[in-house]
Amino acid sequence: MSPVFLLLVHADPQQVKRLLRRLAPVGRCVVHVDAKSDVSAFRIDDPRVRYVSDRVDVRWGAISQVEATLKLMRTALAQCDASQVSHFVLLSGNCYPVRPMEEFRAFLQAHARADFIKMIPLTSTRKLHGRVRHFWFYEDLPVDGRKFTWVRLSRGLLQLAGKLGRRSFPLFAQWYFGSQWWALTPDTVRYLVSYPHEAAVKRFLRFSKAPDEIYFHTLLANSPWGHRVEPVTGHGPWDAANLHLIDPSLARWFRASDYEEIIASGRWFVRKVGSGVSGALCDRLDGPRAKTTARGIPTQP
């Protein structure tokens, strides 16, 4: 049994292709390229790598993140023999392996019935609760990264008004939050893609903040697989990280100077890396010393 890697990518094709070449020898890869990007720039000539054809225009912090992830999951299930898959592992193009992927495959095989996804109740902090309690407009008024646009001003004014409103929480007694990046068993993935009230949940989360960090966690916590989901305390995706080293700033790009810190973390992946700022780091992580050092660190799921 081997993992299947699900990749959400939108930029930096050089780094994405480098990542795919690391992953493909140990498991098939299915890639969703944001519909705003040219898919041909991300293609590599490897039969173990497939690309989602029906792509989504993905917007930061919006329900389209959930849509793209569900398309990845459905495409992977259609193209793979699930009986030969240990886990479906969700990554971005800015994730990179810290430890040998052959060891990662063995680790997943040894935990074939475990789902690596952690959760925090949305009601645990006011900040988390506000992600769903108030109205957010990232899908209809997308983030474009510029300091000022009329769209950004409009979104800000609407969100200010949205904070004056209060929404009830339908469908579930408790909603949950966690890291977007997880590893799930085939049974769990099949449950998620066949959830009968998918449309209703997505409709409600359309006006939430970062529903990709809420949708899957809430469904699983309220499912027959809920006992597999590990509860944690905290308020950020770094607290609920499953396999990754994630910096609490969420904005830090890791460099070669961070190598020792990354190795010492014992994590399987690091986020964020890029082809420019992190090239030397990835070279070191690909090298023999990284492999030797990583073997001496206890596994942290």
Side-chain angles (χ1 to χ4, degrees):
M1 298 177 73
S2 297
V4 171
F5 298 99
L6 311 178
L7 273 69
L8 289 168
V9 308
H10 71 284
D12 201 350
Q14 179 181 341
Q15 182 66 29
V16 172
K17 289 188 282 189
R18 179 172 191 163
L19 173 61
L20 288 170
R21 294 187 182 103
R22 276 291 308 269
L23 300 176
V26 298
R28 296 182 64 179
C29 302
V30 183
V31 185
H32 178 279
V33 180
D34 190 326
K36 296 187 290 296
S37 302
D38 178 8
V39 68
S40 65
F42 297 84
R43 291 191 182 277
I44 66 171
D45 186 15
D46 190 320
R48 298 166 295 188
V49 179
R50 302 292 182 88
Y51 296 81
V52 175
S53 56
D54 182 19
R55 297 184 290 147
V56 177
D57 180 352
V58 180
R59 301 182 176 188
W60 184 89
I63 195 64
S64 48
Q65 293 271 8
V66 175
E67 296 280 9
T69 305
L70 287 168
K71 283 187 180 293
L72 265 175
M73 296 160 78
R74 290 180 170 123
T75 301
L77 283 172
Q79 295 184 352
C80 302
D81 179 359
S83 67
Q84 300 302 311
V85 177
S86 62
H87 293 77
F88 292 93
V89 183
L90 184 64
L91 302 171
S92 79
N94 297 126
C95 302
Y96 206 71
V98 173
R99 304 167 63 177
M101 285 291 91
E102 295 81 3
E103 292 182 8
F104 182 57
R105 176 168 57 190
F107 168 74
L108 292 180
Q109 289 172 351
H111 298 81
R113 297 183 60 82
D115 288 312
F116 295 95
I117 181 169
K118 299 175 183 176
M119 65 183 186
I120 302 170
L122 280 180
T123 53
S124 62
T125 71
R126 183 176 181 181
K127 183 176 181 179
L128 283 181
H129 198 234
R131 285 176 172 242
V132 174
R133 186 67 164 170
H134 304 304
F135 291 85
W136 304 82
F137 301 92
Y138 290 118
E139 186 66 44
D140 301 288
L141 297 167
V143 173
D144 63 8
R146 287 178 285 179
K147 291 184 177 180
F148 177 82
T149 64
W150 288 110
V151 169
R152 183 170 184 174
L153 176 62
S154 300
R155 187 180 64 251
L157 292 173
L158 280 172
Q159 287 177 187
L160 180 62
K163 289 184 178 181
L164 301 176
R166 296 290 187 274
R167 297 203 290 171
S168 61
F169 284 54
L171 304 171
F172 304 105
Q174 179 68 276
W175 290 69
Y176 293 87
F177 162 89
S179 171
Q180 178 184 4
W181 316 110
W182 39 248
L184 302 176
T185 64
D187 284 346
T188 301
V189 169
R190 278 191 290 258
Y191 173 82
L192 288 169
V193 301
S194 61
Y195 184 71
H197 306 296
E198 174 185 324
V201 180
K202 290 192 299 187
R203 187 163 54 247
F204 175 73
L205 288 178
R206 179 184 180 90
F207 297 103
S208 65
K209 181 179 180 180
D212 50 308
E213 297 176 339
I214 300 170
Y215 178 88
F216 302 102
H217 309 73
T218 299
L219 262 59
L220 287 182
N222 290 278
S223 77
W225 283 267
H227 65 282
R228 298 185 187 177
V229 181
E230 182 181 352
V232 295
T233 58
H235 66 278
W238 54 91
D239 297 308
N242 306 291
L243 305 166
H244 283 68
L245 171 62
I246 299 175
D247 188 76
S249 72
L250 300 182
R252 176 186 178 187
W253 290 85
F254 285 89
R255 305 167 182 267
S257 57
D258 302 312
Y259 174 81
E260 298 297 341
E261 174 191 349
I262 293 167
I263 291 294
S265 74
R267 296 288 181 167
W268 291 106
F269 298 93
V270 60
R271 174 173 170 79
K272 303 176 172 181
V273 301
S275 59
V277 68
S278 311
L281 170 63
C282 293
D283 288 343
R284 293 194 70 183
L285 291 173
D286 289 343
R289 180 171 181 266
K291 296 178 181 179
T292 302
T293 306
R295 289 192 183 101
I297 298 172
T299 298
Q300 296 182 15

